[in-house]
């Protein structure tokens, strides 16, 4: 509901660029939104950094495990340790 005497924004005259003039109220709203978006962006950036660090750590761990498996496989190179499938296969 529009207060008595107030002019709804859609009836205000448009600027030559085809949009409504920027009011102080609208400017404050835009600045508030920008501040919240800046905060959200910072939080998302921190999350991405943590994920990148975790991914790098997991890649190093995976490489180390692959080396250990290769070393064990090389140590068992004569086929010992590998079980034959049961006769019913």
């Amino acid at each position: 509901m529009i207060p008595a005497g107030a002019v709804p924004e859609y009836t205000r005259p448009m600027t030559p660029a085809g949009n409504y003039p920027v009011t102080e109220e609208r400017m404050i709203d835009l600045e508030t939104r920008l501040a919240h978006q800046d905060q959200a962006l910072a939080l998302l950036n921190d999350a991405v950094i943590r994920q990148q660090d975790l991914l790098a750590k997991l890649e190093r761990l995976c490489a180390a495990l692959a080396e250990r498996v290769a070393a064990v496989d090389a140590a068992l190179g004569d086929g010992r340790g590998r079980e034959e499938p049961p006769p019913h296969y």
Side-chain angles (χ1 to χ4, degrees), residues 9-63:
E9 187 157 330
Y10 58 84
T11 62
R12 292 182 186 158
M14 296 179 82
T15 63
N19 52 11
Y20 295 104
V22 178
T23 63
E24 184 176 350
E25 217 175 278
R26 183 168 164 82
M27 183 61 77
I28 291 170
D29 181 53
L30 291 172
E31 289 173 350
T32 302
R33 287 181 185 198
L34 179 63
H36 286 284
Q37 288 178 352
D38 283 346
Q39 182 182 13
L41 183 61
L43 291 173
L44 289 171
N45 188 47
D46 291 344
V48 169
I49 290 170
R50 284 193 309 273
Q51 288 177 347
Q52 286 176 331
D53 292 344
L54 179 60
L55 181 60
K57 180 180 177 182
L58 291 173
E59 286 175 337
R60 288 190 303 271
L61 179 61
C62 187

